[in-house]
Amino acid sequence: MSITSLALLACYLLSFNVEATPNFEAEALLRWKESLGNQTSLQSWTPGKINESLTTGQCMWFGITCNMAGSVTEISLPSARLRGNLSSLDFSSFPSLVSLNLSCNLLTGPIPFQIGTLSRLTHLNLSMNFHSGNLALSLANLTNLSLLYMGNNLISGELDPRLFSNWSRLEFLELQNNNFTGVIPSQIGLLTNLKELALMNNHIFGSIPPEIGNLINLDGLALSGNHLMGPIPPSLGNLSKVTVVYLHQNRLSGPLPQTIQNAKNLKDLRVFKNQLSGPVPQGLANLSSLENLQLNENNFSGHLPPVCQKAPLRVFTAFSNNLSGPIPKSLRNCKSLTSELGKLNQLGLIDLSSNQIVGEIPKELGRLSKLIFLHLRDNQISGQLPPEIGGLSNLEDLDLSANRLSGQIPEQVGDCSRLRNLCLSKNYFNGTIPHTIGDLAHPGLLDLSQNRLTGDIPPQLGSLIMLEYLNLSHNVLSGSIPSLFNQMTGLTSIDLSYNELEGPLPDNDFFRHANLTAFSNNKDLCGIVEGLRPCNVTSLENGAHGIAGRKVFIIVGACLFGMLLSFAILVGFLTLSGRAEFKSNSKEATTSNSGNIFSVLNFDGKIVYEDIITATNDFDDMYCIGMGGTARVYKAQMPIGHILAIKRVRCLEGEEEEEMVETFKNEIRVLSDIRHRNIVKFYGFCSHGQHKFLIYDYIERGSLANVLSNDEEVQKLDWSKRVDIVRDIANALSYMHHDCTPPIIHRDISSKNVLLNSEFEACISDFGTARFLKPESSNWTAMAGTYGYVAPELAYTMRVTQKSDVYSFGVLALEVIMGKHPAELISSLSTLEQSIELKELLDLRLPPPTVLFEKDVASVVKQALSCLHITPNCRPTMRVVSQALLKA
Ligand SMILES: *[C@@H]1O[C@H](CO)[C@@H](O)[C@H](O)[C@H]1NC(C)=O
Ligand SMILES: *[C@@H]1O[C@H](CO)[C@@H](O)[C@H](O)[C@H]1NC(C)=O
Ligand SMILES: *[C@@H]1O[C@H](CO)[C@@H](O)[C@H](O)[C@H]1NC(C)=O
Ligand SMILES: *[C@@H]1O[C@H](CO)[C@@H](O)[C@H](O)[C@H]1NC(C)=O
Ligand SMILES: *[C@@H]1O[C@H](CO)[C@@H](O)[C@H](O)[C@H]1NC(C)=O
Ligand SMILES: *[C@@H]1O[C@H](CO)[C@@H](O)[C@H](O)[C@H]1NC(C)=O
Ligand SMILES: *[C@@H]1O[C@H](CO)[C@@H](O)[C@H](O)[C@H]1NC(C)=O
Ligand SMILES: *[C@@H]1O[C@H](CO)[C@@H](O)[C@H](O)[C@H]1NC(C)=O
Ligand SMILES: *[C@@H]1O[C@H](CO)[C@@H](O)[C@H](O)[C@H]1NC(C)=O
């Protein structure tokens, strides 16, 4: 062979490489695209776009990356709404492929055997699809693999030990939320470079192989939610880099090994819901990074470890064990230690219920001002509830029921103004119910039953207008039920039985339809409830009732005085400074704690405080159009023709109003930053000491919830209006999430907080719980929102993201189409896009949509369903939703 012919041969081979291989690749991709049917995200994948001169047109296609030679190295199509399977994708056509990312699609069928030919592959992500079948053994051929994500599919079968023999480079292995069975092979110990091993939520059984201790580079280990049995291997202590260990919800038994304290970097240890026994290793207290410790629902005995000696715990649960001894005094350190590390790390949740804990509640607990959740129910705690409890100013949930607490309920309970649930039942509390409980901002549950409480029911409880559940039964309460209880329109359940109460029941719909058992075994109650004697009208005028009435008069009088004073100052303010400049004043409102702050936006130059007072006849009930936990809303017809909605924040005394002021300021802060046609217009506010109100545009038709629940009104909401309403809400949320800096999260999207104007245009309202999403903070927060609309992940993460609003929007959008809250339907949707027929969802009070609107309605439902995805990352953003609905 001559030199020239050799050179020619080389040239031929070279040009073959450049031209032929890429053609293979383009063809393979196009064949796959064809098998997938219509895919809008693959529009750029067309043969016509292939650049003739280089034949590497596929390198320009959406989701495709090539190397210098024009050969495909990456296929990246996450969340591309791909629907179909992988059986038509010819893997052997991609000799250079390094990364394949098809996460978050709707792909079905098995992962083909041929995937084993992608010998250069380092990253394989097929997570969050609907793949089924077994894990192909050919995956063992991918010896360069460093990342393998197959989580959230329907893959079944056993983990073949042969898979693990060649994956020495593997760093991330995620197979969670599948249908795997069998045992964890001991060969797992060969993956010594592994940083993450996630096998949680499968059907894996057997024991945890001790070889897991060989994975010395492991950072995260998640084996929870399986059927694992036997002991936790002490070799776990060798994992010196591990930060997260999830072994919860298995059938593990034996002790939690003492060696765990050698895992010095442990941040999050969850072993709850197993059959672990023996003492809790006291060495846990020495772990200086531990933030989350969940030991609940095991058989642990002995004393609790002295947590928070070194660790900034945020969550500590040990309920339902056999733990004894006192509440560790070291808990008080949780605050002082963590404040050095940043206040957002402070302890937020303690649950030690259902143990045999004895001793008193340490008064130092009151220093945990960031604590949100404190459950010590069902123990043998005795002594008094220390007044220091009032220091828990962020507490939302306090359950001390079924203990041996005695003495008075301290007045300072009212300082925990964020309390939503207050449960002190089944103790030996005596004395009277502190009237300060009436100061709580928005409690939903109040249970003081089965104590030895005496005296009158304080009329101040009547101001808890959002309270849903009230139980004061089995005490020794006397006097009458305060007539102010007729304001408690939020009540769904009440029990006042087994007391010494007398006199009339409050007169409102709830009490008229209440069950007699709620009032049985009292001294002499009367009223219109069936089974009670009717009241004697004359005796009603005197007695306890009259006294209660007088007290109320005094409170209202004080508030009125404040109002008059603020009026005088406002007049001065307006005269002196002329136009009130809103922005600067709202800043003042956020910085100044005392003093008088006013801002009334220039509204046709004529908005005057006086007009508001006149228009509402000093906030007469006649003008009240709505009530919430913290406020009443009044309609004010202004002299110049505008109608305003005035939200008047509840009148409070002294320091207890701080929480209310926070909500008030928060709403001002958020609303003064945003302007959008689908967000309620905000004109200004007035704040003077106890007296505060916000001024908005009046929205004629009231809340969407009202319109949907009214069979007559709802007739006017035809399909086209409903689609528009959903679009409006999506637009407003998209604006808040993506066009505002920092982004604003509403946190309480529900049909009650969406208002409709005369044209049925939707306006989002009620920004009291809204949050700015600040990148520098952890955005870790207390739960907010309305039951039935709250994203499921908020139950355990408490982290604010846009995706929780997206979820609430999904619920709301379905509600608009169905005409009622989707309730249980949501949980049955867990396997996305199950065959729900559109017809099954439509509000039957309307004729079905005409062909013209059917597509729009279907599009709303489709978007709503995607917003309800259980995995927050798989939910679309509001921008995507609003654009999709626009096109529909
Ligand atoms: C796919 O798109 C074409 C053209 O846009 C259309 O004619 C066809 O009906 C679509 N097929 C499906 C299954 O949606
Ligand atoms: C083909 O690619 C070359 C180099 O990238 C470019 O200059 C040329 O315009 C492309 N031709 C077509 C038809 O796209
Ligand atoms: C794949 O896509 C997901 C979702 O967008 C992304 O989080 C991930 O970083 C991508 N890459 C790999 C290698 O998984
Ligand atoms: C994959 O999709 C193609 C085309 O839609 C279909 O014909 C084939 O049956 C599917 N294969 C599997 C295993 O689901
Ligand atoms: C995996 O590798 C073996 C030997 O290295 C080979 O025989 C087999 O064909 C490969 N499997 C695939 C699917 O490439
Ligand atoms: C997953 O496993 C469960 C129980 O083992 C079985 O009932 C179910 O059919 C399996 N699902 C799939 C998709 O394999
Ligand atoms: C409440 O009980 C304590 C002891 O448990 C007792 O000392 C106190 O006198 C009682 N107070 C009232 C008002 O009954
Ligand atoms: C009243 O409540 C009792 C106990 O909760 C229940 O058994 C009874 O059925 C109720 N009666 C009515 C009329 O709802
Ligand atoms: C109601 O009160 C009046 C006057 O106090 C008394 O004469 C009458 O007997 C009472 N009626 C009932 C039903 O108690």
Side-chain angles (χ1 to χ4, degrees), residues 784-843:
T786 302
Y787 181 74
Y789 296 85
V790 179
E793 71 273 9
L794 288 181
Y796 53 89
T797 66
M798 299 188 181
R799 191 182 293 279
V800 189
T801 72
Q802 285 98 328
K803 292 300 173 77
S804 44
D805 271 357
V806 174
Y807 183 91
S808 310
F809 167 83
V811 178
L812 179 57
L814 273 190
E815 182 177 353
V816 171
I817 299 303
M818 296 171 68
K820 58 172 193 232
H821 189 280
E824 323 71 72
L825 180 77
I826 295 178
S827 47
S828 71
L829 290 174
S830 52
T831 48
L832 187 77
E833 303 201 13
Q834 271 178 343
S835 51
I836 329 171
E837 289 270 336
L838 184 58
K839 275 179 232 144
E840 293 172 36
L841 295 177
L842 299 178
D843 188 345

Side-chain angles (χ1 to χ4, degrees), residues 384-550:
Q384 305 212 355
L385 182 56
E388 286 81 1
I389 197 85
L392 302 176
S393 53
N394 276 296
L395 201 63
E396 296 193 359
D397 198 322
L398 177 63
D399 188 347
L400 304 176
S401 59
N403 276 293
R404 296 172 182 174
L405 294 165
S406 58
Q408 291 256 1
I409 298 173
E411 276 190 5
Q412 288 80 353
V413 160
D415 294 350
C416 308
S417 58
R418 286 173 183 257
L419 271 180
R420 281 173 182 253
N421 292 335
L422 174 59
C423 190
L424 303 177
S425 65
K426 299 188 191 157
N427 279 291
Y428 306 121
F429 286 115
N430 63 7
T432 55
I433 298 176
H435 67 89
T436 53
I437 288 182
D439 298 340
L440 301 179
H442 36 60
L445 180 151
L446 177 59
D447 188 351
L448 307 179
S449 66
Q450 304 196 45
N451 279 292
R452 295 166 180 173
L453 298 168
T454 53
D456 288 351
I457 300 176
Q460 286 87 346
L461 294 194
S463 56
L464 303 178
I465 53 181
M466 287 288 270
L467 196 68
E468 289 174 25
Y469 179 97
L470 175 64
N471 192 346
L472 304 176
S473 68
H474 296 270
N475 279 295
V476 205
L477 298 168
S478 53
S480 67
I481 303 172
S483 61
L484 274 185
F485 271 32
N486 66 1
Q487 294 182 50
M488 302 170 80
T489 48
L491 276 181
T492 58
S493 167
I494 194 168
D495 191 349
L496 303 178
S497 62
Y498 294 90
N499 278 295
E500 310 268 297
L501 298 167
E502 58 192 324
L505 294 189
D507 188 20
N508 75 7
D509 243 28
F510 173 76
F511 284 96
R512 257 171 255 144
H513 297 111
N515 187 331
L516 177 64
T517 55
F519 309 106
S520 64
N521 295 78
N522 272 292
K523 197 166 164 192
D524 185 21
L525 284 172
C526 63
I528 322 175
V529 172
E530 206 180 310
L532 280 191
R533 73 167 178 83
C535 294
N536 190 332
V537 184
T538 40
S539 69
L540 197 153
E541 309 263 300
N542 307 311
H545 178 67
I547 293 163
R550 214 166 302 137

Side-chain angles (χ1 to χ4, degrees), residues 570-878:
L570 178 82
V571 172
F573 177 82
L574 287 179
T575 349
L576 285 177
S577 63
R579 277 167 156 235
E581 175 48 42
F582 175 68
K583 271 275 177 178
S584 61
N585 275 294
S586 80
K587 287 221 180 67
E588 199 183 323
T590 64
T591 52
S592 150
N593 270 331
S594 56
N596 312 315
I597 302 147
F598 290 104
S599 174
V600 176
L601 276 193
N602 183 24
F603 181 72
D604 283 2
K606 285 242 164 114
I607 253 204
V608 187
Y609 179 85
E610 189 184 0
D611 292 337
I612 291 173
I613 301 297
T614 314
T616 57
N617 193 16
D618 271 351
F619 295 107
D620 190 315
D621 276 357
M622 209 177 107
Y623 298 93
C624 182
I625 51 172
M627 286 193 238
T630 55
R632 284 170 170 236
V633 182
Y634 298 83
K635 176 178 175 180
Q637 167 85 54
M638 304 307 281
I640 43 167
H642 291 278
I643 307 179
L644 300 177
I646 312 296
K647 177 156 132 186
R648 185 176 173 221
V649 180
R650 211 157 57 91
C651 186
L652 284 171
E653 307 142 53
E655 288 166 20
E656 290 90 36
E657 69 171 42
E658 237 171 70
E659 145 78 11
M660 198 74 63
V661 172
E662 225 14 80
T663 316
F664 177 74
K665 285 184 189 169
N666 196 43
E667 182 149 11
I668 293 168
R669 236 174 275 159
V670 173
L671 280 174
S672 53
D673 266 28
I674 54 182
R675 285 279 176 278
H676 189 276
R677 65 175 290 170
N678 300 117
I679 291 173
V680 67
K681 264 191 213 63
F682 177 58
Y683 292 121
F685 65 94
C686 158
S687 169
H688 170 260
Q690 305 178 334
H691 180 51
K692 298 175 170 42
F693 59 71
L694 299 129
I695 307 161
Y696 317 84
D697 215 7
Y698 172 72
I699 315 273
E700 294 83 350
R701 294 188 188 271
S703 77
L704 176 59
N706 273 348
V707 174
L708 285 177
S709 64
N710 183 326
D711 286 349
E712 244 168 71
E713 278 284 289
V714 85
Q715 296 300 329
K716 300 178 198 152
L717 268 194
D718 59 27
W719 294 112
S720 117
K721 291 202 183 86
R722 292 193 194 204
V723 171
D724 283 342
I725 286 170
V726 176
R727 276 184 190 141
D728 288 348
I729 303 166
N731 288 344
L733 283 173
S734 171
Y735 165 83
M736 287 162 56
H737 290 179
H738 304 289
D739 300 327
C740 295
T741 15
I744 294 164
I745 317 292
H746 187 283
R747 303 208 301 155
D748 196 7
I749 292 293
S750 76
S751 55
K752 279 190 183 159
N753 291 337
V754 169
L755 307 176
L756 298 182
N757 71 11
S758 55
E759 264 87 59
F760 291 97
E761 285 173 345
C763 268
I764 297 182
S765 75
D766 213 326
F767 285 74
T769 57
R771 280 294 168 108
F772 290 107
L773 197 60
K774 301 221 179 80
E776 70 273 16
S777 73
S778 88
N779 294 306
W780 193 71
T781 173
M783 186 114 165
T786 302
Y787 181 74
Y789 296 85
V790 179
E793 71 273 9
L794 288 181
Y796 53 89
T797 66
M798 299 188 181
R799 191 182 293 279
V800 189
T801 72
Q802 285 98 328
K803 292 300 173 77
S804 44
D805 271 357
V806 174
Y807 183 91
S808 310
F809 167 83
V811 178
L812 179 57
L814 273 190
E815 182 177 353
V816 171
I817 299 303
M818 296 171 68
K820 58 172 193 232
H821 189 280
E824 323 71 72
L825 180 77
I826 295 178
S827 47
S828 71
L829 290 174
S830 52
T831 48
L832 187 77
E833 303 201 13
Q834 271 178 343
S835 51
I836 329 171
E837 289 270 336
L838 184 58
K839 275 179 232 144
E840 293 172 36
L841 295 177
L842 299 178
D843 188 345
L844 295 174
R845 293 172 295 181
L846 287 189
T850 57
V851 191
L852 199 59
F853 293 114
E854 192 166 6
K855 203 168 123 249
D856 286 355
V857 172
S859 166
V860 167
V861 169
K862 186 173 152 202
Q863 292 303 321
L865 294 180
S866 68
C867 292
L868 294 173
H869 201 292
I870 193 91
T871 315
N873 284 338
C874 285
R875 292 173 206 148
T877 63
M878 281 319 299

Side-chain angles (χ1 to χ4, degrees), residues 132 154 156 179 181 203:
S132 52
L154 305 166
S156 49
N179 232 7
T181 56
H203 303 289

